[in-house]
């Protein structure tokens, strides 16, 4: 009798084990802020293919800013199309919008979305225009019975009220608060999904702010926009970001027990560890075979670092009386030039030949020159406002405005700017000032006299200087600094 009882218990245990939910693993592969760096795509393809060879449940996700940053993509017959063609071939599943998706205008973006074989979701863009289709706020992907919901959001903080960019690119569009929309659709979608993912182009600071509220219901946030490498847990939700320029791929492993998430892990994997896929390499080489972009326009006599490039863009000597190129718009010399560090898109350029592609990679936005007259007091207000910016936290408390004239930001113990000292300017005097049109359009607390945006492109001025004055000696010395009072 006891033996029969033991056999019965064993049988029950075996039946229970057989009926228990089986454990499965879902892998979310993610990219963000690729910025048209297709030269790294063959390694991405190798990494993705290696994962698909070893894991059954794989979803490939992108968190925005797919173009702007590589002349071979941005100046293609259809700008951006080389990146989209490669993404389609590799089989991306879902993506959201970044701010740079709007760089060529919403009508262009609307056409490009039609070319994307993957789902594009964004919960906080509302369109009433015929040129830009209303995007779905989310999508649900089924992988072997596991339902994965993806909600997309894009920043609206820099505009303000819309992503960073020219106002004309957003006419007719509204961008409600991305955090509110993320919470709204999480509540709507959570009951329908086993795994809930936020694909965010808000920035890791805003993502962390959202998760700290403790209401998100997301299992994973795949982030972008701030170009950081992020792997952290906030309120039980994994927050991730891979950096920028397709240097890494994000690998999020979601362990499932039946239809319940039993664990989530994340790794940032350098793509340099992979050999390029040969077929994708050939395609990239074909895109790069552009003699006009490849040939050197001029030369650098020395290597330029980030500071040097910023100095060059703010105040490179030129044919117009050795005045800063930004200041020479319309033939009028300027006394002071400013350039924003976010507009300097390369970290360095080595000594030697500099191609047109390199210049367009340094300045990929088609930035125009704006000019006006400002007093030191007005310049001071502009600099202090940007340094203390409470909205764009990632752009605050740093030297953002590189200038031809030296200045020193004086801060308090809490790193708030109190004053700006200009050793070479005279208080009360009006100076001719040149800035990028991005500064002119978007920076707060701008006061000036006679402001206008010219038709001079910064990239064209730099190319002209390379052609006419090579070899250029680049000054890598910082002219701006911060001191605590």
């Amino acid at each position: 009798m006891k033996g029969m009882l033991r056999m019965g218990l064993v049988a029950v245990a075996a039946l229970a084990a057989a009926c228990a939910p089986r454990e499965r693993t879902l892998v979310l592969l993610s990219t963000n802020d690729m910025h048209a760096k297709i030269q790294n795509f063959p390694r991405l393809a190798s990494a993705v293919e290696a994962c698909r060879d070893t894991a059954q449940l794989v979803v490939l996700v992108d968190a925005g800013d797919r173009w702007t940053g590589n002349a071979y993509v941005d100046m293609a017959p259809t700008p951006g199309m080389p990146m989209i063609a490669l993404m389609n071939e590799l089989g991306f599943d879902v993506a959201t919008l970044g701010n740079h998706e709007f760089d060529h205008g919403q009508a262009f973006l609307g056409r490009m979305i039609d070319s994307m074989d993957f789902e594009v979701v964004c919960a906080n863009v509302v369109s009433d225009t015929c040129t830009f289709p209303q995007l779905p706020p989310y999508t649900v992907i089924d992988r072997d019975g596991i339902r994965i919901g993806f909600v997309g959001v894009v920043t609206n903080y820099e505009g303000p009220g819309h992503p960073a960019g020219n106002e004309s690119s957003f006419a007719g569009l509204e961008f409600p608060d991305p955090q509110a929309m993320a919470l709204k659709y999480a509540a709507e979608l959570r009951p329908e999904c086993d795994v809930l993912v936020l694909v965010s182009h808000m920035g890791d600071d805003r993502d962390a702010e959202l998760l700290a509220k403790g209401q998100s219901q997301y299992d994973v946030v795949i982030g972008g926009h701030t170009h950081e490498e992020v792997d952290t847990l906030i309120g039980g939700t994994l927050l991730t970001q891979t950096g920028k320029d397709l240097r890494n791929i994000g690998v999020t492993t979601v362990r499932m027990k039946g239809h319940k998430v039993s664990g989530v892990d994340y790794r940032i994997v350098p793509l340099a560890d992979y050999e390029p896929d040969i077929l994708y390499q050939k395609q990239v080489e074909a895109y790069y075979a552009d003699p006009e972009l490849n040939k050197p326009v001029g030369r650098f006599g020395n290597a330029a670092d980030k500071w040097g490039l910023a100095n060059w863009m703010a105040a490179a000597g030129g044919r117009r009386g050795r005045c800063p190129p930004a200041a020479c718009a319309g033939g009028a010399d300027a006394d002071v030039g400013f350039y924003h560090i976010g507009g300097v898109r390369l970290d360095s350029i080595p000594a030697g030949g500099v191609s047109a592609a390199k210049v367009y990679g340094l300045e990929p936005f088609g930035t125009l020159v704006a000019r006006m007259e400002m007093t030191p007091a007005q310049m001071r207000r502009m600099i202090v406002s940007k340094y203390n910016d409470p909205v764009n936290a990632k752009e605050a408390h740093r030297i953002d405005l590189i200038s031809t004239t030296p200045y020193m930001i004086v801060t308090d113990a809490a790193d708030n700017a109190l004053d700006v000292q200009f050793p070479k300017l005279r208080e009360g005097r009006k100076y001719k000032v040149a800035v990028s049109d991005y500064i002119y359009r978007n920076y707060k607390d701008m006061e000036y006299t006679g402001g206008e945006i010219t038709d001079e492109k910064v990239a064209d001025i730099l190319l002209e200087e390379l052609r006419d004055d090579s070899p250029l000696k680049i000054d890598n010395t910082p002219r701006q600094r911060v001191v605590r009072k």
Side-chain angles (χ1 to χ4, degrees):
M1 184 69 177
K2 291 181 179 179
M4 292 179 62
L5 180 59
R6 282 196 297 270
M7 290 177 62
L9 291 173
V10 170
V12 170
L15 179 62
C19 294
R22 62 190 178 98
E23 289 195 355
R24 291 178 290 174
T25 299
L26 168 70
V27 180
L28 305 175
L29 299 179
S30 59
T31 57
N32 60 270
D33 300 278
M34 293 190 284
H35 285 293
K37 298 301 190 292
I38 59 171
Q39 63 268 37
N40 296 330
F41 210 96
R43 296 182 188 274
L44 173 68
S46 291
V48 171
E49 290 159 358
C51 182
R52 287 172 175 163
D53 286 343
T54 57
Q56 292 184 331
L57 309 177
V58 180
V59 182
L60 187 53
V61 185
D62 180 68
D65 278 5
R66 289 174 278 283
W67 52 70
T68 304
N70 182 350
Y72 300 97
V73 174
D74 300 331
M75 303 184 73
T78 301
M81 187 54 74
M83 175 59 81
I84 300 308
L86 291 168
M87 291 179 71
N88 286 343
E89 186 171 347
L90 189 56
F92 272 77
D93 295 290
V94 62
T96 195
L97 298 175
N99 52 295
H100 287 294
E101 262 70 55
F102 292 92
D103 282 351
H104 299 287
Q106 60 177 287
F108 172 84
L109 176 56
R111 294 192 299 271
M112 289 295 285
I113 288 173
D114 289 338
S115 302
M116 300 175 189
D117 293 343
F118 43 92
E119 189 77 60
V120 181
V121 295
C122 192
N124 71 312
V125 58
V126 179
S127 174
D128 64 359
T129 75
C130 60
T131 58
F132 184 80
Q134 179 63 56
L135 295 175
Y138 59 78
T139 189
V140 178
I141 294 175
D142 189 296
R143 286 289 189 270
D144 193 24
I146 297 175
R147 291 174 59 79
I148 312 114
F150 294 91
V151 178
V153 290
V154 65
T155 176
N156 77 340
Y157 302 107
E158 296 91 349
H162 59 71
N166 292 329
E167 191 74 32
S168 59
S169 296
F170 308 106
L173 302 181
E174 295 181 5
F175 294 86
D177 179 68
Q179 294 187 14
M181 293 299 101
L183 293 175
K184 173 186 175 181
Y185 287 105
E188 180 177 322
L189 198 55
R190 181 78 265 186
E192 302 179 20
C193 299
D194 305 312
V195 182
L196 188 57
V197 180
L198 179 65
V199 189
S200 166
H201 202 84
M202 289 192 292
D204 65 297
D205 51 339
R206 297 294 184 172
D207 294 332
E209 188 176 86
L210 169 68
L211 296 180
K213 297 176 181 178
Q215 308 167 29
S216 80
Q217 303 188 62
Y218 289 99
D219 298 297
V220 180
V221 176
I222 292 174
H225 187 46
T226 42
H227 299 183
E228 301 286 353
E229 294 184 11
V230 181
D231 175 9
T232 189
L233 197 68
I234 301 177
T237 299
L238 183 65
L239 173 57
T240 75
Q241 195 178 146
T242 69
K244 66 174 182 176
D245 294 346
L246 210 49
R247 297 170 185 169
N248 304 307
I249 185 171
V251 182
T252 304
T253 303
V254 184
R255 297 186 301 279
M256 304 293 300
K257 197 165 187 177
H259 291 275
K260 299 291 185 181
V261 175
S262 60
V264 183
D265 298 304
Y266 178 70
R267 289 181 298 133
I268 296 173
V269 178
L271 290 177
D273 294 344
Y274 289 85
E275 290 296 321
D277 179 281
I278 294 175
L279 294 179
Y280 284 89
Q281 185 69 35
K282 289 181 178 179
Q283 293 180 63
V284 170
E285 289 172 355
Y287 289 127
Y288 269 71
D290 186 327
E292 289 304 311
L293 290 175
N294 289 336
K295 66 182 180 183
V297 177
R299 298 179 61 80
F300 277 4
N302 62 302
D305 61 16
K306 185 87 168 185
W307 271 105
L309 293 172
N311 286 339
W312 183 43
M313 296 175 82
R319 294 172 63 245
R320 303 178 183 94
R322 309 301 299 181
C323 64
C328 295
D333 295 1
D335 304 301
V336 180
F338 287 98
Y339 211 84
H340 60 296
I341 194 67
V344 184
R345 304 302 283 193
L346 295 180
D347 294 329
S348 63
I349 295 179
V354 179
S355 66
K358 188 67 71 175
V359 172
Y360 290 128
L362 174 66
E363 203 301 286
F365 307 112
T367 298
L368 298 172
V369 176
R371 61 185 180 187
M372 70 284 290
E373 289 188 338
M374 299 179 78
T375 64
Q378 291 170 328
M379 298 180 214
R380 180 176 295 110
R381 181 177 181 181
M382 173 181 70
I383 295 166
V384 167
S385 176
K386 188 60 183 175
Y387 193 89
N388 294 338
D389 191 343
V391 177
N392 301 324
K394 287 287 185 177
E395 295 182 6
H397 303 284
R398 69 175 189 181
I399 296 173
D400 183 87
L401 289 162
I402 309 302
S403 179
T404 60
T405 192
Y407 68 76
M408 180 172 65
I409 301 174
V410 181
T411 66
D412 62 17
D415 196 30
N416 295 307
L418 304 173
D419 190 17
V420 179
Q421 298 176 0
F422 299 101
K424 294 189 176 181
L425 302 184
R426 192 171 66 205
E427 293 297 327
R429 176 184 167 184
K430 283 188 176 181
Y431 291 89
K432 295 178 181 178
V433 175
V435 302
S436 70
D437 66 328
Y438 181 79
I439 296 173
Y440 186 83
R441 298 177 196 269
N442 294 287
Y443 278 37
K444 297 177 182 177
D445 295 317
M446 293 279 293
E447 293 183 350
Y448 48 79
T449 303
E452 65 172 345
I453 298 175
T454 75
D455 59 0
E456 292 255 20
K457 291 185 176 181
V458 173
D460 289 345
I461 297 168
L462 300 179
L463 287 168
E464 182 178 351
E465 183 182 54
L466 274 169
R467 282 191 295 267
D468 293 349
D469 293 337
S470 288
L472 299 181
K473 176 67 174 178
I474 302 299
D475 182 3
N476 294 315
T477 306
R479 298 191 185 99
Q480 286 72 49
R481 62 192 180 101
V482 178
V483 296
R484 180 175 295 181
K485 184 175 180 180

